Structures are given as structure tokens and as C-alpha cells.
Amino acid sequence: VVSDNIRLAIAVRFGGAYTTFSTYMFESDQMLEDGAWLRAAFYIVGSVVLGLLFVRMGIVLGRRF
């Protein structure tokens, strides 16, 4: 049995993650549609690479402290 608070937390987190990802995809698509291929490539690749870098940094810092 899952409490109402846990269900609410999961719903809010899923909604937040979904809207963030949707915005990222929408902006990427808009750049591609506008013909800004290089900008879109930097945005997409940069977001993924920096995202992974910061996840790794968080893991390393989390283990140290």
C-alpha cells in the first residue's frame, strides 16, 4: 500500500521531469526548424554532456561528504 503523500510526490516529480524534457525537445526542434543546425547541435550535445558531467560530479562529491 502506497501512501497518498508518496503518490503525490511521484506524480509531481514525474510531471516536473516530463515538462522539463518536453521544453528541451521543443526548443531543440525549434532551432532545427529555424535552420540553426549548429546551434541546435551544440545545445543538444552540450546539454547531454554537461548533464552527465554534473551527475558524475554529484556522485563523486556525495561519496566524499
Side-chain angles (χ1 to χ4, degrees):
V1 176
V2 179
S3 74
D4 288 340
N5 286 340
I6 298 296
R7 287 181 192 202
L8 179 61
I10 290 170
V12 169
R13 289 179 182 170
F14 176 78
Y18 180 73
T19 56
T20 300
F21 184 74
S22 296
T23 301
Y24 170 62
M25 288 292 102
F26 178 77
E27 290 175 345
S28 300
D29 182 63
Q30 282 299 118
M31 286 182 223
L32 293 171
E33 228 178 75
D34 293 342
W37 293 91
L38 187 59
R39 183 176 178 200
F42 275 111
Y43 181 66
I44 294 166
V45 173
S47 294
V48 172
V49 170
L50 287 175
L52 289 172
L53 176 67
F54 285 121
V55 165
R56 177 57 42 202
M57 285 174 47
I59 291 169
V60 169
L61 290 173
R63 288 182 180 159
R64 284 191 181 171
F65 302 104

